[in-house]
Amino acid sequence: MDNRAAGNRGAGATLPIVPAIVTDSLTRTFGLVTALSQLTVEMPTGVVGLVGANGAGKSTLIKILLGLLPPTSGRAQILGMDCRTDGLQIRQLVGYMPESDCLPPDVSATEFVVHLARMSGLPSAVARERTADTLRHVGLYEERYRPIGGYSTGMKQRVKLAQALVHDPKLVLLDEPTNGLDPAGRDEMLGLIQRIGSEFSISVVVTSHLLGELERIADHIVVIEGGVLQRSTSTADATQLSGVVLVEVTDQAAEIIARLRAAGAQVADAGGSQSFTVELSDETVLDAVQRAVADLGVGLIRMQRRRHHLTEFFQPEQEAADAQQ
Amino acid sequence: MPSNELAAGPPVPVTPTTSAAEDVIHDIGFRHYDGARFGRGWIVRSLLVETVRGIFGLGRPAKSKIMPWVLFGILMLPPLIIALWVILTGGKDLPLSYTGYLSSMQFVISLFVAGAAPYCVSRDLRHGVIPLYLSRPMKRSDYALAKFGGLSIGLFLVLAVPETLLLLGAVLAKLSIGHQLAGWAGGIAISAILALALSSVGLVIAAFTPRRGLGVAAIVTTLLVASGMSFVLSGIAEQKGYLKLSDYVAMLDPFRLVDGLAVAWFGVSSSSSTAPPPGALGGTVFALVAAALVGGGVAILVRRYRKVGVV
């Protein structure tokens, strides 16, 4: 039907320098409650994970980004459009999947998504065609003709995702899409979100209160707590810059620890008899480990990067790189 | 990103010569859309059409179709019977005026409003659908106005069809065409105003009662109580000798309000014995009150939706 996809979107995807979302001292208060406080952050295109506990300000940020809630002060931009003034244009090119239940039980998924596609401004024929396509992509087949009331939680989440994608947005805001799903459903949903970012070339901002699940799929992680930015890093940066290295040797671990401490490194016992962790303040620490091991002539079993703040997360390439060192 | 090009690229054209390939379903990946995206006008119109369809149960489960069509059927019965009676007995005029028909079917019309208004708004409120509308390129007031327009049009159809049936009967019975057409036009105009007034009352109540059953009960009760109050107060005022007050109190009931307008504008005799609005001033006051009822209702509705869906 159209073949702009590979050309335009592909080119867009290779220019991650242009941030999808920019906020500048964004503040929003509700009476005495401060939902967002001086939030200044840039989110790139691709899959961005927005992490925070319940009440951290994630949903408030999403409503501001959709142009539905004016910020108390500060500025927010999405896809280069101002959230304070360009609400209508933003909502034409952005999809939103709410956290809460939002599906009427007495209509079928097809009818409901067709209706919402028209509500996004698509002509009727296009709305029907894209609804069939989109429901297939999120994994709803024959059941899409049955009333939504009889769907499982997993199927309902898929319908909610489909309505956010049906109008082919440039960016989707997914609010807690894995809420209420069992572990298998969670994995499927996360896989689907990853595909939206890679195969569909649609930028994604996905929120969760679980850091672990977003680390697996996000290119970039933003953590907010109590409306305040805690950190904003690409997941690749996180593995490079922060964390500690787990070192395991064949013999004389105590001697190596002593030498490293003498060189000023922060070393902690890792529990095993011949292993320890060393804080990776800079690259010279790695050299120091290497030198100590070489001098003593013991075998180095492994050096593995661990990270401080992000929970267990090992990218295969990163692990391979570590193993080579 | 080669995987992207593979997935989002154009479908491989199937040439007619390779007939075997035509049977194969290609997964052509997620297709993007570059075509027209219509603005608020289209969106409001689509929502309005969807609302009108839904009022009559179209595109909804079978059981949602029962009530509206049964009530619509009941509303068509009197015009059918009257038409047959006039045709068979060869009377000189319809036994019931076009506007009088509206008052005489007050209860059934009230039931129809009570069923339709909650469908229009309570469903979306109850099931949390509003955020899905708000996240689309429309304004909050667009939603409220589309729902108001949809219910008004649906109600108007329900009233205008029986009115037209009455006219048809009168024409078949060879009554004076000019007179009947004038009466019908008045009936249509009053139907339109009644549809607007009842939509306004019904939607305001429904928008504050997310529970559907509660909304139905509240609307029926409100319309019945308003009607009863207006008759009781009229009666008391008349007994005490305040005849003008007695006439004006009729405005409490939307049905008597539009009946008063019919008397003032079209000179038909009032269908309720107590409600002839007094003169030009009366007509103006009734018209202003009707406008305030509709305008006030819409304003409350729009205000209500300013708050929905925000934390």
Side-chain angles (χ1 to χ4, degrees):
Chain A
M1 188 181 84
D2 75 273
N3 51 15
R4 132 194 104 130
N8 286 5
R9 290 297 179 101
T14 55
L15 292 171
I17 312 114
V18 182
I21 291 168
V22 185
T23 73
D24 183 16
S25 316
L26 194 64
T27 300
R28 172 72 209 198
T29 56
F30 296 100
L32 293 172
V33 182
T34 302
L36 286 177
S37 174
Q38 297 290 320
L39 189 73
T40 301
V41 69
E42 277 192 13
M43 301 185 197
T45 54
V47 178
V48 175
L50 179 58
V51 185
N54 295 330
K58 291 171 293 177
S59 295
T60 303
L61 177 58
I62 285 182
K63 282 180 176 122
I64 291 175
L65 291 176
L66 282 169
L68 295 174
L69 193 66
T72 308
S73 66
R75 219 166 47 82
Q77 273 195 342
I78 185 165
L79 301 171
M81 294 177 280
D82 191 316
C83 297
R84 214 187 265 271
T85 54
D86 303 335
L88 289 174
Q89 291 98 299
I90 288 172
R91 296 199 290 275
Q92 203 160 52
L93 297 174
V94 172
Y96 168 55
M97 172 179 173
E99 177 187 0
S100 54
D101 289 337
C102 56
L103 305 174
D106 60 343
V107 293
S108 70
T110 299
E111 285 171 273
F112 188 59
V113 177
V114 167
H115 173 59
L116 288 171
R118 278 199 297 254
M119 293 298 101
S120 286
L122 298 193
S124 294
V126 178
R128 274 191 293 274
E129 196 177 316
R130 287 200 60 86
T131 295
D133 262 14
T134 311
L135 286 175
R136 186 169 51 82
H137 278 296
V138 301
L140 278 175
Y141 302 97
E142 289 314 308
E143 56 271 30
R144 65 178 189 259
Y145 300 112
R146 294 207 312 264
I148 295 171
Y151 287 11
S152 67
T153 309
M155 284 157 71
K156 283 183 184 166
Q157 291 298 88
R158 285 163 198 264
V159 179
K160 282 163 65 174
L161 184 59
Q163 64 79 30
L165 291 170
V166 69
H167 56 295
D168 187 24
K170 291 210 167 17
L171 186 149
V172 282
L173 300 165
L174 311 177
D175 202 354
E176 304 268 359
T178 56
N179 238 6
L181 297 179
D182 57 26
R186 206 168 266 264
D187 285 345
E188 282 178 289
M189 179 57 76
L190 291 172
L192 202 50
I193 293 167
Q194 204 164 22
R195 275 182 60 208
I196 294 170
S198 56
E199 283 180 35
F200 303 181
S201 312
I202 294 172
S203 286
V204 179
V205 174
V206 50
T207 77
S208 176
H209 51 275
L210 299 172
L211 176 60
E213 63 178 28
L214 290 189
E215 276 179 340
R216 280 167 38 199
I217 58 162
D219 308 322
H220 191 98
I221 294 277
V222 173
V223 183
I224 55 175
E225 194 59 63
V228 179
L229 181 69
Q230 299 296 311
R231 65 184 295 147
S232 170
T233 57
S234 88
T235 40
D237 285 353
T239 45
Q240 272 172 5
L241 296 178
S242 69
V244 293
V245 177
L246 175 70
V247 180
E248 191 176 348
V249 290
T250 51
D251 205 6
Q252 299 194 42
E255 176 60 21
I256 297 171
I257 292 173
R259 286 187 183 206
L260 288 174
R261 285 200 172 128
Q266 294 288 318
V267 187
D269 199 353
S273 59
Q274 295 298 334
S275 63
F276 56 90
T277 58
V278 55
E279 190 128 350
L280 189 59
S281 48
D282 56 57
E283 295 292 318
T284 60
V285 175
L286 295 174
D287 296 339
V289 173
Q290 208 179 9
R291 257 200 313 279
V293 170
D295 287 352
L296 292 168
V298 298
L300 181 58
I301 297 172
R302 76 169 151 173
M303 281 174 78
Q304 187 176 34
R305 271 184 186 167
R306 285 250 174 108
R307 289 176 302 142
H308 274 317
H309 302 281
L310 306 188
T311 50
E312 294 297 307
F313 172 61
F314 303 110
Q315 279 187 312
E317 311 92 80
Q318 193 62 45
E319 229 171 356
D322 284 352
Q324 278 174 6
Q325 291 175 5
Chain B
M1 203 183 287
S3 68
N4 167 40
E5 288 193 11
L6 197 77
V12 181
V14 181
T15 50
T17 48
T18 57
S19 57
E22 283 178 36
D23 300 335
V24 179
I25 298 173
H26 292 281
D27 186 358
I28 50 177
F30 189 84
R31 287 189 292 176
H32 291 291
Y33 176 67
D34 241 355
R37 289 174 193 266
F38 298 141
R40 284 165 60 205
W42 159 258
I43 292 169
V44 170
R45 209 182 75 198
S46 300
L47 183 54
L48 192 147
V49 169
E50 177 82 10
T51 305
V52 175
R53 281 170 46 86
I55 288 170
F56 293 101
L58 304 177
R60 295 169 66 201
K63 68 173 195 220
S64 316
K65 296 181 173 72
I66 299 171
M67 268 310 265
W69 286 103
V70 165
L71 292 175
F72 196 22
I74 294 174
L75 283 172
M76 305 256 253
L77 273 181
L80 267 177
I81 294 168
I82 289 169
L84 279 177
W85 184 77
V86 176
I87 292 168
L88 294 178
T89 60
K92 284 250 189 309
D93 200 358
L94 295 173
L96 183 69
S97 73
Y98 289 91
T99 53
Y101 162 79
L102 298 174
S103 302
S104 67
M105 299 307 281
Q106 174 166 359
F107 185 63
V108 183
I109 297 171
S110 298
L111 281 184
F112 192 94
V113 177
Y119 158 75
C120 291
V121 291
S122 309
R123 199 175 70 131
D124 290 347
L125 288 170
R126 174 98 196 262
H127 299 293
V129 190
I130 303 292
L132 299 187
Y133 285 106
L134 294 182
S135 66
R136 296 191 139 71
M138 62 164 86
K139 296 193 167 174
R140 288 165 182 280
S141 53
D142 291 345
Y143 176 87
L145 292 176
K147 290 291 182 180
F148 177 76
L151 181 57
S152 300
I153 290 172
L155 266 181
F156 174 71
L157 287 177
V158 161
L159 303 177
V161 170
E163 292 277 324
T164 308
L165 215 57
L166 269 178
L167 175 70
L168 212 67
V171 170
L172 286 176
K174 298 196 167 57
L175 304 181
S176 123
I177 298 283
H179 182 62
Q180 292 301 325
L181 265 180
W184 173 79
I188 290 291
I190 296 300
S191 294
I193 296 168
L194 184 61
L196 289 172
L198 291 178
S199 298
S200 156
V201 174
L203 282 183
V204 165
I205 296 171
F208 286 95
T209 45
R211 302 273 306 264
R212 188 171 186 277
L214 218 60
V216 172
I219 294 169
V220 171
T221 311
T222 305
L223 289 177
L224 287 184
V225 167
S227 175
M229 286 273 283
S230 114
F231 275 109
V232 167
L233 290 178
S234 282
I236 292 173
E238 202 179 350
Q239 269 188 354
K240 300 278 181 194
Y242 302 111
L243 291 182
K244 274 204 166 160
L245 183 67
S246 162
D247 293 337
Y248 279 116
V249 164
M251 296 187 298
L252 282 175
D253 179 0
F255 287 90
R256 291 181 78 194
L257 179 66
V258 297
D259 189 47
L261 284 177
V263 175
W265 291 351
F266 307 116
V268 294
S269 53
S270 169
S271 54
S272 55
S273 52
T274 50
L281 175 68
T284 312
V285 171
F286 269 55
L288 286 177
V289 169
L293 179 64
V294 175
V298 171
I300 293 172
L301 205 59
V302 168
R303 240 188 109 76
R304 161 79 171 134
Y305 279 93
R306 214 174 283 167
K307 292 283 168 201
V308 178
V310 180
V311 184

